């Protein structure tokens, strides 16, 4: 080996044997995934005689993203890139709402003749930077002699403003409260 090459080769060997690497260490992925959960057991209440078809849930366009949303102002939202929904939000709302209705004596069934249809449009499902829980939905029950409709927005729910797990739990409570409001409206159907 030429003397001019010995020093660079020796230096490279010394660096490699000392444990130096040229590549940075991999960092763990900070992303966390959340789902809505039912507050009640998904068992059909005894004596349930009312049935409803739950149509596919409609959500506002900005809620179709996987990151959780925190509202910073009237027209400013923040997508929490490291806090994501584990399933599409409309599927999570449908799953929890169906389970919560069942515990309140309403059987959620596929489309069937003579069964009322429940349509739900979710306009907001997010946290506020101030700790507010912002859940707002319009609903409509069609079928039968007397259609019904309404708006739902709980006012007493709060999250800690930091933990997205806390936000997911409070949004789950909002869906349970929606079921509490809808069950009597569905049960009054002819």
């Amino acid at each position: 080996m030429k003397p001019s090459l010995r020093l660079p080769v020796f230096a490279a060997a010394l660096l490699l044997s000392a444990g130096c690497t040229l590549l940075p260490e991999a960092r763990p992925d900070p992303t966390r995934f959340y789902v809505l959960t039912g507050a009640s057991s998904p068992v059909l209440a005894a004596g349930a005689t009312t049935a409803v078809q739950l149509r596919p849930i409609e959500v506002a366009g900005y809620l179709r993203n996987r990151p959780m949303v925190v509202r910073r102002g009237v027209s400013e939202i923040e997508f929490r890139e490291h806090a994501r929904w584990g399933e599409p939000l409309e599927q999570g709302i449908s799953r929890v709402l169906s389970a919560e209705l069942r515990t309140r004596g309403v059987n959620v069934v596929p489309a069937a003749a003579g069964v009322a249809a429940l349509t739900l449009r979710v306009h907001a499902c997010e946290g506020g930077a101030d700790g507010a829980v912002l859940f707002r939905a319009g609903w409509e029950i069609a079928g039968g002699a007397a259609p019904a409709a309404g708006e739902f927005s709980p006012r007493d729910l709060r999250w800690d403003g930091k933990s997205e797990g806390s936000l997911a739990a409070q949004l789950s409570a909002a869906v349970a409260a929606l079921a509490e409001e809808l069950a009597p409206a569905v049960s009054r159907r002819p």
Side-chain angles (χ1 to χ4, degrees):
M1 185 178 289
K2 292 184 180 182
S4 62
L5 290 178
R6 286 184 190 164
L7 185 59
V9 169
F10 178 73
L14 186 61
L15 284 174
L16 288 174
S17 67
C20 293
T21 62
L22 300 175
L23 299 174
E25 284 188 43
R27 293 184 182 165
D29 183 2
T31 305
R32 299 292 174 255
F33 295 89
Y34 301 90
V35 294
L36 295 173
T37 56
S40 304
S41 168
V43 177
L44 184 62
T49 58
T50 304
V52 69
Q53 172 203 0
L54 181 58
R55 291 196 171 148
I57 308 277
E58 299 173 30
V59 299
Y62 72 97
L63 294 172
R64 291 190 192 116
N65 296 300
R66 285 292 173 114
M68 293 178 86
V69 176
V70 174
R71 187 164 292 277
R72 295 241 165 255
V74 174
S75 51
E76 180 184 356
I77 58 173
E78 172 191 349
F79 290 105
R80 298 270 174 110
E81 291 297 329
H82 296 294
R84 297 177 175 259
W85 290 112
E87 64 188 333
L89 192 54
E90 53 268 32
Q91 287 179 6
I93 293 170
S94 179
R95 178 178 48 77
V96 172
L97 183 61
S98 294
E100 292 291 333
L101 284 170
R102 282 186 198 101
T103 65
R104 289 164 175 81
V106 177
N107 193 14
V108 180
V109 298
V115 174
L118 171 60
T119 301
L120 183 67
R121 291 174 188 85
V122 177
H123 308 294
C125 186
E126 62 220 42
D130 63 353
V133 173
L134 309 168
F135 185 88
R136 191 169 46 87
W139 57 269
E140 180 180 338
I141 301 170
E151 287 284 325
F152 175 79
S153 182
R155 304 259 183 244
D156 57 343
L157 298 175
R158 308 273 311 155
W159 71 299
D160 65 13
K162 297 175 186 169
S163 165
E164 289 84 5
S166 168
L167 177 56
Q170 292 304 304
L171 290 170
S172 297
V175 176
L178 173 62
E180 187 73 30
E181 178 175 296
L182 288 172
V186 171
S187 296
R188 286 192 294 266
R189 312 302 307 148

